[in-house]
Amino acid sequence: TDRQGNEIGISHGRFVPLLESSDRDLRRKVFQSYYRSFDQYKNTVAAIFAANLKKELFYTKARHYASSMEAHLSQNNIPTAVYDQLIEAVHDALPEMYRYVRLRRKMLGVKELHMYDVYTPLVSGEHANISFDEAMAIVSRGLAPLGESYIRLLNEGMHGGWIDRYENKGKRSGAYSCGAYIHPYVLLNYHNDLDSEFTLAHEMGHAMHSYLSNTHQKPLYAGYRIFVAEVASTCNEALLMQYLLKNTTDSKERAVLINHFLEQFKGTLYRQTMFAEFELEINERAAKGESLTASALCGIYRKLNEDYFGPDMEIDDNIALEWARIPHFYYDYYVYQYATGFSAAIALSDKILNEGEPAVRRYLNFLCSGC
């Protein structure tokens, strides 16, 4: 129940939006109630989870791979060193994460920062109301460093019927880009806010990647892997962010933008790498024949949260059950690609802004290369 005594239903889809509430007591109750449900079924979920790991171990041995990680990364010709180096690099950067946790605790004005405090915005108040036409114009200006030909095609797509813009009855949630050969189709649920503006830039990054690869490659070679897919979308977001930060004169708007950027690093680089490290450890334990009970999985997951959030975060007992609610753990060595894609996108956007035309040419060649 909220402050007014209204009962609020909690679902998987509503969990994170409810944790964004400014009502801290509501956040705490939502957090505890949600994980209480998982706690009732943790042994069943752990048994299913462990069975999936055993299945992967069987196929790994049957196909003579050294490890389940090698088996899954080999599908995209990715050396296992990439996975290990990602974890190592993020471990080296954990002091920055701890700094972010201290900043969050300070800006929220709380004595103790809890796991139910990590989603609520650091900057409160009304945010900009951005119409779809405004968003298209801003995205076009923000991506101008990619050159005239890219912007011309981008505008043709945004104004030329590629996008299903608004939420509608029966329409699926979220956002998506489908790289059809006629032209890409982009599904949005646009809500006139900053997140929606960045989502437009993100999905058009996918659309442009698909269009350019489809145009320059034969069908056999046009499709690209997830390992590179998020690079094109996130690079657009990074360029847009740098444009907005450079051009804003309003201190509150700047704070909102910095908050958005920090949340990307926290959610995409650190959190997904923590997921990747959890996945690596549980697969290694399964390979050794260790029993992965609910208690064991909770212990591993809690320790990782302690390592990644640092000493200024109160690690609530319930967070140890978070592994039970993450569907990507059944995709097998999938989540690390979010972090590598984000890292590559930040590096490429930096080169585009600082090197100019040579870096743009290399980047557009990448977008044209398909698989």
Side-chain angles (χ1 to χ4, degrees), residues 25-42:
D25 188 56
L26 175 64
R27 296 199 304 266
R28 178 184 58 80
K29 289 191 286 187
V30 165
F31 183 84
Q32 292 173 349
S33 177
Y34 183 73
Y35 282 114
R36 196 177 301 124
S37 297
F38 279 97
D39 189 55
Q40 294 174 26
Y41 302 102
K42 63 183 178 183

Side-chain angles (χ1 to χ4, degrees), residues 111-116 310-316 319:
K111 185 178 179 180
E112 293 183 346
L113 190 74
H114 287 264
M115 300 305 296
Y116 48 79
D312 289 284
M313 174 67 79
E314 291 295 320
I315 305 299
D316 302 275
I319 200 63

Side-chain angles (χ1 to χ4, degrees), residues 36-313:
R36 196 177 301 124
S37 297
F38 279 97
D39 189 55
Q40 294 174 26
Y41 302 102
K42 63 183 178 183
N43 293 324
T44 301
V45 179
I48 295 169
F49 196 43
N52 186 66
L53 295 173
K54 290 177 181 177
K55 178 202 71 175
E56 291 306 315
L57 183 60
F58 170 81
Y59 285 124
T60 295
K61 292 179 177 178
R63 292 164 180 164
H64 305 291
Y65 285 104
S67 67
S68 57
M69 178 171 70
E70 182 186 80
H72 283 280
L73 267 61
S74 70
Q75 297 170 19
N76 292 336
N77 298 312
I78 307 296
T80 56
V82 170
Y83 202 101
D84 295 328
Q85 287 167 359
L86 169 67
I87 294 172
E88 181 183 347
V90 171
H91 275 216
D92 290 342
L94 282 176
E96 300 305 322
M97 180 63 169
Y98 300 163
R99 183 182 171 200
Y100 164 81
V101 169
R102 290 194 297 272
L103 175 68
R104 172 165 280 278
R105 187 180 69 176
K106 177 183 175 181
M107 292 193 69
L108 291 180
V110 296
K111 185 178 179 180
E112 293 183 346
L113 190 74
H114 287 264
M115 300 305 296
Y116 48 79
D117 295 321
V118 297
Y119 288 102
T120 190
L122 295 178
V123 184
S124 61
E126 292 296 319
H127 297 164
N129 189 313
I130 307 165
S131 72
F132 192 81
D133 287 341
E134 285 180 284
M136 289 193 294
I138 293 168
V139 168
S140 183
R141 293 195 297 269
L143 301 183
L146 291 174
E148 291 183 8
S149 61
Y150 185 97
I151 297 303
R152 184 169 56 252
L153 180 57
L154 174 76
N155 285 326
E156 287 177 12
M158 290 195 298
H159 294 274
W162 290 15
I163 304 173
D164 180 7
R165 304 179 180 184
Y166 300 113
E167 189 173 8
N168 206 347
K169 186 176 181 179
K171 185 177 180 180
R172 62 169 283 179
S173 61
Y176 187 78
S177 176
C178 177
Y181 264 88
I182 303 169
H183 62 67
Y185 288 90
V186 175
L187 177 145
L188 297 178
N189 285 276
Y190 192 82
H191 288 296
N192 287 34
D193 57 18
L194 184 68
D195 281 344
S196 292
E197 179 180 281
F198 275 95
T199 300
L200 171 63
H202 182 106
E203 296 305 333
M204 287 306 298
H206 285 310
M208 293 291 288
H209 193 182
S210 296
Y211 184 90
L212 291 170
S213 284
N214 289 344
T215 303
H216 290 84
Q217 301 293 331
K218 295 178 181 179
L220 181 63
Y221 304 117
Y224 48 82
R225 295 289 189 166
I226 292 293
F227 186 80
V228 296
E230 294 302 327
V231 175
S233 54
T234 313
C235 185
N236 274 13
E237 289 196 67
L239 290 171
L240 176 60
M241 175 60 74
Q242 295 296 347
Y243 167 79
L244 292 172
L245 286 171
K246 183 179 179 180
N247 287 277
T248 185
T249 56
D250 181 88
S251 59
K252 187 165 187 178
E253 181 183 358
R254 185 174 183 80
V256 169
L257 290 168
I258 291 172
N259 175 72
H260 185 93
F261 210 11
L262 288 173
E263 291 302 302
Q264 281 188 307
F265 275 93
K266 183 259 288 180
T268 308
L269 183 66
Y270 288 100
R271 180 172 167 80
Q272 299 298 334
T273 304
M274 185 182 78
F275 286 175
E277 189 169 354
F278 174 72
E279 196 168 4
L280 177 61
E281 182 165 350
I282 58 175
N283 274 280
E284 287 179 344
R285 292 197 182 199
K288 294 175 184 176
E290 294 184 21
S291 178
L292 291 171
T293 61
S295 177
L297 292 167
C298 286
I300 297 166
Y301 198 83
R302 183 190 173 94
K303 177 64 167 59
L304 284 170
N305 273 273
E306 292 173 353
D307 293 342
Y308 274 76
F309 283 94
D312 289 284
M313 174 67 79

Side-chain angles (χ1 to χ4, degrees), residues 145-147 351-352 355-365:
L146 291 174
K351 289 180 182 294
I352 288 165
E355 291 183 23
E357 198 276 333
V360 171
R361 188 169 63 248
R362 293 196 304 270
Y363 180 68
L364 294 181
N365 184 58

